[in-house]
Amino acid sequence: MTYWGVNLEEEIEREQIKHGSVISFKKEEATAVKVPKLESSGKTGWLDGDP
């Protein structure tokens, strides 16, 4: 299972992305992922996503 955004913070720092930067995501292949379920108070769990 792949967890979406697991290394997102490290990628942002490595690529020196700043507020207002334009970014794109490369789609390689369909994969089952777990997406963080977020609310204003912070992460509350995971949503299951289908490829």
Side-chain angles (χ1 to χ4, degrees):
M1 179 63 63
T2 300
Y3 293 93
W4 188 91
V6 148
N7 63 344
L8 190 57
E9 184 176 1
E10 292 90 17
E11 291 289 326
I12 289 171
E13 290 174 1
R14 183 173 61 82
E15 296 295 328
Q16 298 179 349
I17 296 171
K18 304 293 182 208
H19 181 74
S21 294
V22 176
I23 61 171
S24 63
F25 292 92
K26 180 172 55 171
K27 183 176 180 179
E28 294 180 1
E29 62 184 51
T31 256
V33 298
K34 286 195 142 212
V35 178
K37 177 182 174 187
L38 303 174
E39 293 183 1
S40 59
S41 61
K43 185 171 70 171
T44 61
W46 297 97
L47 298 173
D48 291 321
D50 295 321

